[in-house]
């Protein structure tokens, strides 16, 4: 007897596991940002090496792990199943987290940050794909909203635990322990029926190269990636270097980038909840993306004009700016809804990791522009480019709300 999909709860075990998995994912990513400097100092590295040598290499190695992992886990998700990725990625980044707490050399740190990045790359895409395929089209926006909202709150937890615990090694152990505990819950999760229906057929699945061999499919894929650029510009440039922006604008008081990140991610959490809810109420992903990208433009303009502002106002704007880029749930949901079952996991897993991977390119552009413009002017120029491209993309992209996902790509 066929089950009525409309009876499936948005709080089923798949949504819960995907949400908590993404929570630990974000916890680890932000924890690394918070403890990178103190951990490297304890390992004996001078500040010059932390800023431009081994410290920078550590960030790049993790990014390589994310990019490689995004491709590998995406292919595995379409070939072997969404649950295989959920299990494998959570296990790998949990073990890597615990191992990070035991490192006593920079080489060990480099190795385990690569492994952690590789593992972290798979969880969100597999989770969003599974939730999108399990929930009926009338409810899947709520499901992905829950995943992203709970997940992004992991950043707030990481900042809080780092301050309460103090010892960076214990913070890593906590993250690894949370991930391993999740594997117990994962046992109760059922595989997507859409994937099961395709699994035993001769249909080609998980072909990463297929995204580039057809011009229409490639453009669709590129559009999905470009929507995520403003989020990482805001987090990776404006918030990460908030102390320097504050000095340039003569903000009253010393700005701590760690606190700015916490305020930004608190706003992101609320933004992800809001965009997911509004997209359901408006029955549109595209309109919500356009609205929040426009709001991002407004908030970035406000941020870059906080000359002489008080410290509390600066942090309040960081929160509001985080809220404006809180469309990660919609961004990844659009990616999952834009492709057929035989490529869906590949797309949903690679798109967020490639969007993260655009940060080094954005950073390079930011540095190059500074050769002819001031620090603040450079921030404004890069903002116009990132947000402008994303707005054009959102205007041109297909509306995916309510789309029937039970179809295949012709590859």
């Amino acid at each position: 007897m066929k089950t009525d999909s409309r009876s499936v709860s948005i709080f089923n075990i798949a949504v819960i596991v995907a949400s908590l998995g993404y929570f630990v994912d974000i916890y680890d990513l932000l924890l690394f940002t918070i403890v990178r400097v103190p951990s490297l100092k304890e390992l004996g590295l001078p500040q010059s090496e932390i800023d431009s040598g081994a410290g920078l290499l550590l960030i790049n190695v993790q990014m390589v792990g994310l990019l490689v992992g995004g491709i590998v886990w995406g292919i595995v998700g379409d070939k072997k199943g969404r649950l295989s990725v959920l299990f494998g990625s959570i296990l790998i980044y949990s073990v890597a987290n615990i191992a990070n707490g035991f490192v006593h050399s920079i080489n060990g740190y480099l190795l385990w940050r690569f492994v952690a990045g590789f593992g972290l790359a798979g969880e969100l895409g597999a989770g969003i794909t599974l939730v999108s395929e399990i929930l009926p089209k009338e409810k899947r926006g709520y499901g992905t909203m829950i995943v992203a909202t709970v997940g992004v709150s992991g950043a707030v937890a990481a900042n809080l635990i780092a301050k309460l615990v103090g010892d960076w090694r214990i913070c890593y152990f906590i993250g690894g322990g949370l991930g391993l505990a999740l594997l117990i819950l994962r046992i109760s999760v059922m595989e997507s029926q859409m994937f099961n229906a395709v699994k035993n057929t001769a249909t080609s699945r998980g072909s990463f190269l297929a995204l580039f061999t057809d011009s229409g499919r490639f453009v669709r894929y590129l559009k999905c990636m470009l929507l995520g650029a403003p989020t990482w510009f805001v987090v990776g440039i404006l918030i990460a270097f908030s102390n320097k922006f504050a000095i340039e604008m003569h903000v009253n008081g010393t700005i701590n980038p760690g606190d700015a990140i916490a305020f930004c991610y608190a706003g992101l959490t609320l933004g992800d909840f809001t965009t997911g809810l509004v997209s359901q109420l408006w029955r549109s992903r595209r309109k919500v993306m356009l609205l929040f990208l426009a709001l991002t433009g407004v908030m970035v303009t406000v941020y870059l004009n906080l000359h002489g502002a008080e410290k509390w106002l600066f942090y309040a704007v960081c929160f509001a700016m985080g809220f404006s880029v809180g469309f990660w749930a919609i961004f990844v949901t659009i990616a999952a809804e834009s492709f057929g079952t035989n490529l869906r996991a590949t797309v949903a897993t690679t798109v967020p990791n490639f969007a993260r991977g655009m940060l080094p390119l954005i950073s390079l552009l930011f540095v190059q522009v500074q050769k002819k413009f001031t620090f603040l002017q450079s921030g404004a120029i890069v903002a116009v480019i990132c947000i402008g491209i994303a707005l054009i993309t959102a205007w041109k992209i297909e509306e995916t709300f309510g789309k029937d996902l039970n179809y295949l790509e012709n590859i």
Side-chain angles (χ1 to χ4, degrees):
M1 183 177 177
K2 188 177 180 180
T3 303
D4 184 357
S5 65
R6 290 172 296 182
S7 67
V8 179
S9 171
I10 60 172
F11 295 105
N12 68 61
I13 191 67
V15 175
I16 293 170
V17 171
S19 300
L20 295 177
Y22 190 38
F23 176 92
V24 181
D25 178 315
I26 294 295
Y27 170 93
D28 179 78
L29 283 174
L30 188 64
L31 179 66
F32 171 63
T33 303
I34 295 171
V35 305
R36 182 179 65 89
V37 173
S39 62
L40 288 174
K41 283 183 177 179
E42 186 179 311
L43 293 177
L45 265 70
Q47 190 63 49
S48 59
E49 273 291 289
I50 293 173
D51 291 338
S52 59
L56 183 60
L57 179 61
L58 199 62
I59 296 173
N60 292 334
V61 162
Q62 177 177 271
M63 183 59 69
V64 171
L66 283 165
L67 295 177
V68 173
I71 297 172
V72 172
W73 290 121
I75 293 171
V76 171
D78 280 325
K79 287 187 178 294
K80 301 296 183 182
R82 290 52 167 136
L83 290 186
S84 299
V85 178
L86 271 184
F87 180 83
S89 64
I90 292 174
L91 177 63
I92 288 175
Y93 73 62
S94 298
V95 170
N97 253 339
I98 293 171
N100 276 151
F102 286 111
V103 297
H104 290 283
S105 69
I106 185 62
N107 289 334
Y109 212 167
L110 286 167
L111 169 65
W112 289 112
R113 283 326 296 173
F114 172 82
V115 176
F118 181 88
L120 290 165
E123 201 285 329
L124 175 61
I128 291 293
T129 301
L130 184 63
V131 168
S132 296
E133 292 179 344
I134 285 179
L135 293 180
K137 59 186 179 183
E138 299 86 3
K139 295 180 179 179
R140 64 176 177 246
Y142 290 121
T144 55
M145 172 192 76
I146 293 169
V147 172
T149 303
V150 173
V152 174
S153 64
V156 181
N159 189 61
L160 180 62
I161 289 174
K163 287 187 175 182
L164 292 176
V165 174
D167 189 325
W168 62 274
R169 295 182 185 275
I170 295 177
C171 291
Y172 274 130
F173 294 152
I174 290 172
L178 289 172
L180 292 177
L182 261 180
L183 295 180
I184 300 173
L185 278 178
R186 178 252 177 244
I187 296 171
S188 303
V189 182
M190 301 294 289
E191 182 60 88
S192 156
Q193 290 184 6
M194 284 187 195
F195 173 78
N196 282 335
V198 177
K199 181 174 64 174
N200 297 320
T201 68
T203 304
S204 177
R205 307 191 308 275
S207 173
F208 179 66
L209 292 178
L211 295 170
F212 304 91
T213 54
D214 179 87
S215 60
R217 191 156 47 230
F218 172 70
V219 169
R220 213 185 330 151
Y221 183 61
L222 183 62
K223 285 179 181 178
C224 291
M225 276 194 292
L226 292 175
L227 289 175
T231 297
W232 289 99
F233 163 70
V234 167
V235 174
I237 301 295
L238 300 185
I239 297 297
F241 298 100
S242 54
N243 55 335
K244 188 166 183 180
F245 278 103
I247 291 171
E248 291 285 322
M249 294 184 290
H250 305 289
V251 171
N252 294 321
T254 302
I255 297 299
N256 182 339
D259 291 333
I261 288 172
F263 278 103
C264 177
Y265 270 89
L268 262 163
T269 302
L270 182 59
D272 271 316
F273 178 84
T274 303
T275 52
L277 179 61
V278 174
S279 77
Q280 288 296 122
L281 297 176
W282 285 5
R283 302 181 65 81
S284 173
R285 315 280 188 231
R286 182 172 163 272
K287 289 178 182 177
V288 173
M289 280 299 307
L290 286 167
L291 172 64
F292 271 72
L293 284 169
L295 181 60
T296 300
V298 172
M299 292 317 306
V300 169
T301 302
V302 172
Y303 175 88
L304 293 174
N305 285 279
L306 288 173
H307 302 284
E310 296 298 322
K311 186 176 178 179
W312 68 267
L313 179 59
F314 187 91
Y315 283 136
V317 173
C318 288
F319 174 87
M321 196 160 56
F323 175 80
S324 73
V325 293
F327 44 73
W328 205 242
I330 299 297
F331 160 65
V332 183
T333 303
I334 289 173
E337 292 176 333
S338 295
F339 288 81
T341 305
N342 53 331
L343 279 181
R344 188 167 296 126
T346 301
V347 171
T349 305
T350 55
V351 160
N353 288 298
F354 283 10
R356 287 169 177 163
M358 281 192 279
L359 180 55
L361 298 177
I362 295 171
S363 300
L364 180 62
L365 175 62
F366 181 56
V367 170
Q368 291 300 314
V369 172
Q370 287 178 56
K371 293 180 179 180
K372 293 188 177 180
F373 298 92
T374 67
F375 193 77
L376 284 175
Q377 288 171 339
S378 299
I381 291 169
V382 178
V384 169
I385 294 171
C386 291
I387 299 171
I389 290 174
L391 272 169
I392 294 170
T393 301
W395 183 262
K396 296 287 186 180
I397 205 163
E398 172 195 4
E399 176 60 69
T400 60
F401 182 90
K403 184 178 179 180
D404 184 359
L405 300 187
N406 194 14
Y407 71 98
L408 301 174
E409 294 287 335
N410 184 19
I411 57 175

